[in-house]
Amino acid sequence: MYDPTVARLTYRGLLGRQRALILCVLPALLIVISVAVRGFSGADDQVAADLLGGFALATMVPIIGVIAGTGAIGPEIDDGSVVYLLAKPLKRPTIIFTKLIVAIAVTMAFSAVPTFIAGMILNGNGQQIAVAYTVAALVASIAYAALFLLLGTVTRHAVVFGLVYALVWEALFGSLVSGARTLSVQQWALAVAHKVTGGDLVTSDVGLTTATVLLVAVTVLATWYAGQRLRSLTLAGEE
């Protein structure tokens, strides 16, 4: 289910000079803001939770997920180079699963690690806030990578649709319409973070059981359907 050659090529595509610079912008900004906030206000648990929840989890993680998830396969489909990959004696689910693993690893590295560092800077992991949001970022990275990898196989405008979901659906509608929060990866991740802290600084509108089931279901279904889409691309090319 995992092919090292496909993984190496995907890493090379995702971590090229230009894309790597883009991936580093938000993590660097988060750490700079955290240093400034700690310098001006000192260690404050509420401020740490607000910054990690409002910027790291709500903005940085989904945007990095969009870049990594869509970038793992979207450009190859757009420029037609995916045909050469599909010509290899590889099962289509193996290609998708390998690219998913790479997208998850990149999303985690550029989101969960900076989140932990920022949390330690802000309040030294008081009330387990740094660990809680790091776990939330790790969990969200898996679901986002799967969703946006699927988008990369479905449409040539995957980045646009990914940003619409992450910034409009989750950030805008999620803050205005309570029912929309149930279908929010951010809220599912916050449910896990709430379990880690065990306090009221991190809250979610979704229960832990529901969040866990939805995280697993979305990841599995998105990965499966992406594999089916890749099969259809193969058939179209053969015809």
Side-chain angles (χ1 to χ4, degrees):
M1 291 298 292
Y2 181 86
D3 186 84
T5 302
V6 174
R8 184 172 65 253
L9 293 173
T10 307
Y11 275 119
R12 186 180 300 173
L14 282 178
L15 300 178
R17 181 178 300 178
Q18 184 176 2
R19 198 179 295 271
L21 288 174
I22 296 174
L23 286 169
C24 288
V25 170
L26 287 176
L29 181 60
L30 173 64
I31 292 175
V32 169
I33 293 174
S34 299
V35 171
V37 169
R38 178 62 186 265
F40 284 114
S41 64
D44 187 300
D45 294 343
Q46 186 62 60
V47 170
D50 291 343
L51 180 57
L52 294 180
F55 183 83
L57 190 61
T59 303
M60 183 182 73
V61 179
I63 290 179
I64 291 176
V66 169
I67 296 171
T70 60
I73 196 169
E76 293 175 314
I77 294 177
D78 291 342
D79 62 21
S81 61
V82 72
V83 173
Y84 299 100
L85 181 61
L86 296 178
K88 302 297 182 182
L90 291 172
K91 294 180 179 179
R92 305 307 174 245
T94 297
I95 296 173
I96 288 296
F97 184 76
T98 301
K99 288 183 173 293
L100 175 63
I101 294 300
V102 173
I104 289 173
V106 171
T107 306
M108 286 181 172
F110 284 90
S111 60
V113 174
T115 297
F116 180 74
I117 294 173
M120 295 302 293
I121 292 171
L122 287 166
N123 74 334
N125 196 38
Q127 298 196 51
Q128 296 292 307
I129 290 175
V131 171
Y133 276 104
T134 299
V135 172
L138 290 171
V139 169
S141 295
I142 298 173
Y144 280 133
L147 278 173
F148 299 138
L149 179 66
L150 171 60
L151 279 179
T153 66
V154 171
T155 175
R156 292 179 179 271
H157 306 291
V159 173
V160 175
F161 284 108
L163 291 175
V164 167
Y165 171 79
L167 301 181
V168 177
W169 176 265
E170 291 205 340
L172 181 59
F173 283 95
S175 62
L176 299 176
V177 183
S178 58
R181 297 168 193 162
T182 305
L183 301 177
S184 167
V185 174
Q186 178 187 341
Q187 290 297 322
W188 305 342
L190 282 172
V192 178
H194 174 70
K195 178 65 176 179
V196 174
T197 61
D200 296 329
L201 283 175
V202 183
T203 59
S204 173
D205 293 320
V206 182
L208 179 62
T209 301
T210 302
T212 303
V213 170
L214 289 173
L215 282 167
V216 173
V218 164
T219 302
V220 171
L221 290 175
T223 305
W224 172 80
Y225 191 61
Q228 298 304 306
R229 289 291 302 176
L230 206 59
R231 289 179 187 274
S232 69
L233 287 175
T234 305
L235 293 174
E238 291 172 350
E239 293 172 357

